[in-house]
Amino acid sequence: MIISSSTAMAKFPHISCLLLLFTLSSLLGTFAARRLSLKEATIDDLQLAFKHNQLTSRQLVQYYLAQIRKLNPVLKGVLEVNPDALHLADKADYERRTKAPVSLLSKLHGIPILIKDNIATKDKMNTTAGSFALFGSVVPRDAGVVEKLRKAGAIILGKASLSEWSHFRSTKTPSGWSARGGYGLNPYTFSDPCGSSSGSAISVAANLAAVSLGTETSGSILCPSSLNSVVGLKPTIGLTSRAGVVPISLRQDTVGPICRTVADAAYVLDAIAGIDHNDIATIETSKYIPKGGYAQFLRRDGLSGKRIGIFGAFHDFGNDTSLAQTFEKHLNTLRKGGAVLVDKLEIANLTEIYSRSDEYAALYIECKITLNAYLKELVASPVRSLADVIAFNKKHQKLEKIKEYGQDLFLAAEATNGFGKTEKLALLNLARWTRNGLVKLVTKKKLDVVVSPYASLSRVLAIGRAPGLIVPAGYENNEEPAGICFGGLRGSEPKLIEIAYAFEQATKIRKPPSLKGFKF
């Protein structure tokens, strides 16, 4: 079992290391003989291999466990693996042999998936948001999205690392760092992976798992997906359940897939979207779910006839002429696919939006209220309130690196006292900026989506509670990946999937990291 502390290892002494002794070399030999490569394998690849008896879920889990053993000590994308993963794989294999017809099984059936460590799993694993303050806590139930994944037959492979407390403990905390997991590394540059869903992106990029789940409040799926050359889908707020997720803000929090292809992201979204009565926002938002699901929008001609808005900043890449040329080429790809580009657009109040003062004023009080509610609902926990977490950090300063990074965001959140004039005005401003900005622009210009380089749209989409889908777009001079982000109004996931899939199929830019320069 791979956990970030000896304490965690001691908690499950009955788990034999034999679970991980199926070596990478022997697996590669077996699959090479069958002309099957698991590196970069998509869900469709894996399901086809299952169908033709070229692969079992047990073999697949063993492959990823071996990958984790080999690469995770350096990359630190995984906090712990599920001790029941092989048992769940055997169960999936049995169901595939005995259930007829197999064609009725979900696309995710038998597929291992990593879950960000702020998403609750009611099993032998911890749910800690990367903090020792929650180590050993007991959740009341699976998170809503995990329950849906299990129902679809997915195998919960383990917990992905993250920026601790979803990067809302301190402004000084590095992206990808947590007390439990240490520093997660971008597998392309061995540097900043961005966060807070850092481990989810690292692990998929480096082939430690087929797919993963991340969460986003403001940029936490889109940014790490861009920097780690993977596909990240940030759904409309409420499209996927947040029940059982360590929260920051129910107004902005969302759960979405991080994968290597747009198709895989659509398959995961099909599995996790929908009503969960433990998250009332999903009831109203379920109206956006299309009959027949999201996979039907995986169309190679998805660009045809689409109106795509281009922001003026799209053309500003400073001194990086190579990347500028790459993105200009992408605009031509969109045109060749039949899209109409509406160029050099600007969003009103962009300066105010990116100042973050109003967003943070709202997030502070929302964090205090929602986190307190989450902690009180736990069956067992060392901490029961934000104040308890702050006190734990002060008591365990060395463990939580308080002297180095502090906890200024937590302190600001704890200092709030309900929704006063400041908080109410902030919420009104955020709503007005969205109404007069993204919504007005898309409506007035009759756009299907807007597009921008990197994850630069993330804060606009965050306060607008709107979806975004980012796909690999290229690599800078130092091989640092960059993504291209498509965003739209609430409920526009079908259009985003159509456009992003057509772009992806026309460009096929993603390449796995070389992992050169480090000994594994």
Side-chain angles (χ1 to χ4, degrees):
M1 185 173 183
I2 299 177
I3 303 179
S4 63
S5 72
S6 58
T7 306
M9 286 293 289
K11 188 172 183 180
F12 307 115
H14 60 287
I15 300 169
S16 172
C17 291
L18 290 176
L19 294 179
L20 303 179
L21 290 180
F22 201 107
T23 64
L24 180 61
S25 58
S26 65
L27 277 167
L28 289 177
T30 301
F31 296 132
R34 298 179 181 180
R35 296 184 178 180
L36 173 66
S37 173
L38 294 182
K39 186 177 181 180
E40 296 289 289
T42 67
I43 290 175
D44 282 331
D45 293 334
L46 297 173
Q47 291 297 348
L48 187 63
F50 290 154
K51 180 179 179 180
H52 293 292
N53 297 316
Q54 293 178 302
L55 179 69
T56 65
S57 289
R58 168 172 271 268
Q59 290 171 325
L60 184 59
V61 167
Q62 287 173 319
Y63 170 78
Y64 287 128
L65 290 177
Q67 286 286 91
I68 292 168
R69 285 189 70 197
K70 178 183 178 182
L71 302 178
N72 198 61
V74 171
L75 298 180
K76 300 187 186 302
V78 181
L79 273 182
E80 56 184 286
V81 296
N82 187 353
D84 293 327
L86 285 171
H87 168 72
L88 295 173
D90 290 339
K91 179 183 176 184
D93 289 333
Y94 176 78
E95 290 172 346
R96 199 178 300 112
R97 289 194 305 267
T98 59
K99 284 191 176 182
V102 175
S103 59
L104 295 180
L105 295 175
S106 161
K107 280 281 191 180
L108 297 190
H109 186 271
I111 301 296
I113 182 167
L114 282 171
I115 308 295
K116 187 178 177 181
D117 185 48
N118 64 337
I119 302 174
T121 55
K122 185 67 173 175
D123 51 23
K124 295 172 184 175
M125 292 189 292
N126 287 280
T127 302
T128 69
S131 170
F132 282 107
L134 282 178
F135 191 79
S137 62
V138 179
V139 299
R141 65 189 72 86
D142 277 336
V145 290
V146 173
E147 182 180 356
K148 290 181 182 294
L149 287 174
R150 293 195 199 275
K151 186 176 180 180
I155 297 166
I156 309 302
L157 179 64
K159 290 296 185 72
S161 62
L162 72 164
S163 305
E164 187 175 299
W165 294 105
S166 297
H167 220 162
F168 205 73
R169 189 191 94 179
S170 167
T171 54
K172 297 179 181 178
T173 307
S175 284
W177 177 87
S178 71
R180 283 194 63 210
Y183 296 92
L185 295 179
N186 183 319
Y188 292 88
T189 62
F190 296 101
S191 59
D192 182 9
C194 200
S196 64
S197 302
S198 49
S200 301
I202 292 167
S203 299
V204 170
N207 284 273
L208 306 186
V211 294
S212 66
L213 279 192
T215 67
E216 175 158 332
T217 305
S218 185
S220 291
I221 288 175
L222 298 178
C223 183
S225 296
S226 177
L227 263 63
N228 292 275
S229 197
V230 289
V231 173
L233 173 55
K234 178 226 176 206
T236 298
I237 308 304
L239 191 69
T240 56
S241 172
R242 287 81 49 81
V245 177
V246 181
I248 295 176
S249 163
L250 292 181
R251 180 179 49 82
Q252 288 187 198
D253 291 348
T254 189
V255 182
I258 295 179
C259 311
R260 287 188 289 271
T261 67
V262 176
D264 286 357
Y267 297 149
V268 175
L269 185 61
D270 272 334
I272 64 175
I275 293 174
D276 175 7
H277 290 285
N278 289 317
D279 181 355
I280 59 174
T282 61
I283 299 173
E284 169 66 17
T285 312
S286 66
K287 67 184 179 184
Y288 294 125
I289 300 176
K291 185 177 181 180
Y294 292 100
Q296 64 182 305
F297 298 102
L298 298 169
R299 298 174 49 189
R300 289 180 179 270
D301 64 349
L303 287 167
S304 180
K306 296 295 191 301
R307 288 178 59 83
I308 301 176
I310 314 295
F311 291 113
F314 200 101
H315 304 281
D316 184 11
F317 294 94
N319 296 323
D320 196 334
T321 56
S322 175
L323 200 61
Q325 291 172 357
T326 296
F327 275 92
E328 287 297 330
K329 186 184 299 183
H330 293 334
L331 296 184
N332 289 329
T333 298
L334 298 177
R335 292 187 186 97
K336 288 178 181 178
V340 176
L341 303 189
V342 184
D343 204 353
K344 298 182 179 178
L345 300 177
E346 300 295 336
I347 286 185
N349 303 112
L350 201 61
T351 301
E352 290 87 346
I353 291 172
Y354 277 82
S355 73
R356 303 194 84 164
S357 58
D358 285 274
E359 183 184 16
Y360 268 75
L363 292 178
Y364 289 143
I365 181 59
E366 291 168 337
C367 175
K368 182 178 180 179
I369 292 172
T370 57
L371 184 56
N372 283 346
Y374 173 88
L375 295 173
K376 287 176 182 177
E377 193 184 17
L378 294 174
V379 176
S381 176
V383 291
R384 289 293 184 179
S385 67
L386 176 57
D388 288 349
V389 176
I390 292 171
F392 177 95
N393 291 339
K394 288 181 179 178
K395 185 177 180 180
H396 302 89
Q397 293 194 26
K398 187 174 182 180
L399 192 64
E400 288 287 340
K401 290 187 178 290
I402 293 300
K403 288 184 178 180
E404 293 89 339
Y405 305 137
Q407 51 182 335
D408 58 307
L409 296 179
F410 271 0
L411 291 171
E414 179 59 26
T416 60
N417 188 26
F419 282 94
K421 289 183 179 180
T422 300
E423 291 79 14
K424 291 177 181 178
L425 179 60
L427 289 173
L428 288 173
N429 284 339
L430 295 175
R432 176 169 54 85
W433 294 338
T434 294
R435 188 171 59 251
N436 295 337
L438 181 65
V439 174
K440 184 176 181 180
L441 179 68
V442 170
T443 303
K444 184 178 180 180
K445 298 293 185 178
K446 297 180 180 180
L447 304 175
D448 291 294
V449 303
V450 293
V451 64
S452 75
Y454 316 116
S456 56
L457 268 178
S458 61
R459 202 165 302 163
V460 173
L461 300 176
I463 70 165
R465 310 175 74 237
L469 179 51
I470 198 161
V471 297
Y475 301 86
E476 298 186 49
N477 294 329
N478 62 352
E479 288 302 300
E480 180 178 335
I484 184 170
C485 183
F486 301 95
L489 299 184
R490 287 173 55 78
S492 62
E493 281 83 356
K495 291 179 180 179
L496 295 179
I497 291 170
E498 281 187 320
I499 291 169
Y501 180 76
F503 173 83
E504 175 193 58
Q505 294 303 300
T507 56
K508 295 188 176 180
I509 289 167
R510 173 177 160 77
K511 60 183 180 181
S514 65
L515 300 174
K516 292 180 180 178
F518 270 80
K519 292 183 179 180
F520 293 96

